[in-house]
Amino acid sequence: MNLKLFLERQTSKCLSELGLDNSALVKQSSRPEHGQYQANGVMGAAKKTGQNPRQLASDLASLLQEKNDPNNFELEVAGPGFINFTLSGEFLSKTLHDLEKDPRLGVSLDKKRKILADYSSPNLAKEMHIGHLRSTTIGDACSRILEFLGHEVVRVNHVGDWGSQFGSLLAYMDKLSEAESNLGSELKDLELFYKKATELFKEDENFAKSAREYVVKLQSEDPQCMKLWSQFIAESLDHCQNVYERLGVALKKENTVAESFYNNQLNAVITDLESAGLITLSDGAKCVFLDAGKGRDGEPTPAIVQKSDGGFPYIATDLAATKYRSKALQVDDALYFVDARQALHFKDLFKIAKRAGFIDGNQNFVHIANGIILNKEGKPYKTREGGAVKLAEVIDESISRAKLIVSEKASEMPDEEQKRISELVGIGSIKYAELSKNRTTDYVFDWDQMLSFDGNTAPYLMYAYTRIRGIINNSGVPSDKNKNRFNLTDRSEVKLALKLVQFTESVEAVVEDYNPNLLCNYLFELAQIFMAFYEHCPVNSSEQATKESRIHLCDLTGRVLKKGLELLGIEVLERM
Ligand code: ARG
């Protein structure tokens, strides 16, 4: 049960019985003297009708008291017209018991929208780099959570596999196959391949000519060119898939709907725009003028949808994709997890798509923007030579750094187990570092912070989980979920119980505006509250009923931690 929602509904219902139709806006309160929840919508309601807010709050509180079981919560009118709720121990332990019996830990499964998530979406000309970590992990976590809530999620990897950037690559492939060198092994390092091809383009006039010809051949789908292109794309997709598998990201090859998929829909898109009267010709290019985008000189800047040479830019493909997603897939929402630097692109895209009728009023197409990754000096994270840092190498480094820590902390463990722990800790750490930060701001990539066993990190939470499992295993208490009544006596038990029943609130909060860091914060706070509880409340030395109640609290905390991390795409271990 979502307690916040429950209290909000109760309060709104009573407000409307008093003849007011305001919603009651209940929030969790962080100050214990304000109760555990606080309703603050009363003032707004009073203002509208000119009533005294304190009087209204007290009428409302009496009504709430009358309508609800008096054993559920205590109410207090405070300040200019707030209502503070304090849940009773009995209500809390009953709610906790329901939670314990529920394999979904209180999270309901009643959401039913069809939601497309466009995430990761790298350009295939190069290897995936560190920058792809954000869209990939945030998009993946949000998709998991939406699915868990019951939505139908369509994952799409909108990879860039088309366009002039492939000219040099194809010309270089051609050159290598003529020289009968081992093209296959050269392609294993896509980054180097790209570098060599672009260098040749700059240095060798003949090569540059061939590269330009390849751009044209690609556009006309020349068979020899397409053969090379397919080989390149297959290699690059394998590389991406390997990264996803190592990261435990749920994208599969069948989720790939590449830019080239839309090639044969582009002309129709332009025709649609023309019939909607949106196209203006400017220097031979087809443009859409939007009032919003004003250039430096105050003149409106157009979005070019077809270049004067007939070629189609990035936005044309994206227009075709919005149309396809809306009309063919009939999605309710489409979420684009992409770098904030593309904000203007998406603003134009959605505006044009709406005007052209590709998206209708009930559909939400939104850009879920993320900030970029910085180094400690606050500059974009690059290699020493100024190049992009390969994602595969970030993964390797994280695992080997984790290995160093694990071998120090758990030197007595068998090697195989150390290896397994290092892998999960290494992967978990880089993912959690992404997810726990504010999505929209840039953040500093800091190995020591993310791999630390202290603070809001994956290792801290993974370790907390193993400690809980240890406590339970040592207790000898059977895990019979139906027998126990929670017996919450100590303040730290009540605090832990309240946090546990708020799991569903924190999961649902993530998808209000796609902020996985809200769930991270929740899990971190839960683990801290658990540690405080464990310090104050002896488990194994208590008399049997208390011991059982406390072990059940431990067990539930473990289950919530595990489920929460799983929803973020992070795996836990039973022992480390
Ligand atoms: N391939 C693009 C890039 O690397 C991101 C694509 C995002 N998705 C989209 N539908 N535009 O910048």
Side-chain angles (χ1 to χ4, degrees), residues 240-502:
C240 295
Q241 203 48 45
N242 185 274
V243 169
Y244 298 143
E245 270 157 31
R246 292 185 75 194
L247 280 177
V249 163
L251 282 173
K252 300 274 173 306
K253 278 212 175 142
E254 53 271 27
N255 299 123
T256 303
V257 186
E259 288 188 355
S260 60
F261 172 81
Y262 301 100
N263 281 354
N264 59 12
Q265 304 170 27
L266 297 175
N267 283 318
V269 162
I270 302 297
T271 314
D272 290 337
L273 297 179
E274 273 162 350
S275 351
L278 291 169
I279 298 279
T280 311
L281 268 181
S282 168
D283 293 331
K286 292 185 177 164
C287 303
V288 178
F289 279 86
L290 296 160
D291 21 84
K294 290 258 196 312
R296 240 177 278 145
D297 48 6
E299 287 294 299
T301 46
I304 298 176
V305 292
Q306 186 169 22
K307 293 187 265 184
S308 53
D309 65 2
F312 295 102
Y314 182 49
I315 196 167
T317 310
D318 252 332
L319 280 164
T322 52
K323 184 178 169 191
Y324 181 77
R325 292 166 179 187
S326 152
K327 306 287 181 219
L329 300 179
Q330 303 206 319
V331 301
D332 297 308
D333 306 296
L335 312 172
Y336 293 71
F337 292 90
V338 188
D339 195 325
R341 288 171 296 189
Q342 295 194 25
L344 197 60
H345 164 76
F346 285 109
K347 211 169 150 204
D348 286 354
L349 171 68
F350 300 145
K351 207 173 238 177
I352 300 173
K354 273 187 199 135
R355 290 200 194 162
F358 295 165
I359 309 177
D360 72 43
N362 306 323
Q363 293 172 309
N364 302 306
F365 277 56
V366 269
H367 175 202
I368 312 295
N370 59 262
I372 60 166
I373 300 180
L374 305 173
N375 63 18
K376 282 193 173 155
E377 284 75 50
K379 303 255 161 53
Y381 200 87
K382 296 261 168 68
T383 59
R384 224 171 279 149
E385 297 78 39
V389 179
K390 294 179 182 180
L391 188 46
E393 285 173 4
V394 174
I395 298 174
D396 291 340
E397 178 158 1
S398 191
I399 294 173
S400 64
R401 281 176 182 261
K403 181 91 201 328
L404 275 181
I405 301 171
V406 171
S407 58
E408 212 170 274
K409 277 196 193 285
S411 50
E412 74 298 343
M413 258 186 199
D415 259 9
E416 262 316 293
E417 195 171 354
Q418 284 192 24
K419 200 167 154 247
R420 168 101 185 115
I421 297 174
S422 314
E423 264 165 28
L424 290 193
V425 169
I427 300 288
S429 296
I430 44 179
K431 291 177 85 174
Y432 193 84
E434 291 297 325
L435 296 166
S436 57
K437 305 295 183 308
N438 183 324
R439 167 171 63 75
T440 51
T441 47
D442 299 345
Y443 92 95
V444 175
F445 194 83
D446 179 347
W447 284 117
D448 295 331
Q449 186 271 329
M450 70 180 81
L451 284 158
S452 166
F453 277 73
D454 274 323
N456 190 5
T457 64
Y460 174 78
L461 293 176
M462 292 169 82
Y463 183 66
Y465 178 76
T466 59
R467 283 216 32 205
I468 293 171
R469 295 305 312 159
I471 298 165
I472 298 167
N473 292 338
N474 289 336
S475 73
V477 173
S479 58
D480 180 354
K481 310 251 178 302
N482 295 316
K483 242 175 63 190
N484 185 62
R485 274 298 272 176
F486 287 96
N487 178 13
L488 310 169
T489 48
D490 192 274
R491 266 184 53 201
S492 64
E493 284 175 298
V494 174
K495 219 172 153 191
L496 179 57
L498 178 69
K499 198 71 187 174
L500 286 167
V501 300
Q502 288 173 337

Side-chain angles (χ1 to χ4, degrees), residues 503-523:
F503 178 56
T504 176
E505 283 165 53
S506 73
V507 172
E508 289 178 13
V510 169
V511 296
E512 273 169 29
D513 194 27
Y514 305 99
N515 290 306
N517 66 326
L518 298 179
L519 181 55
C520 297
N521 292 345
Y522 167 83
L523 296 174

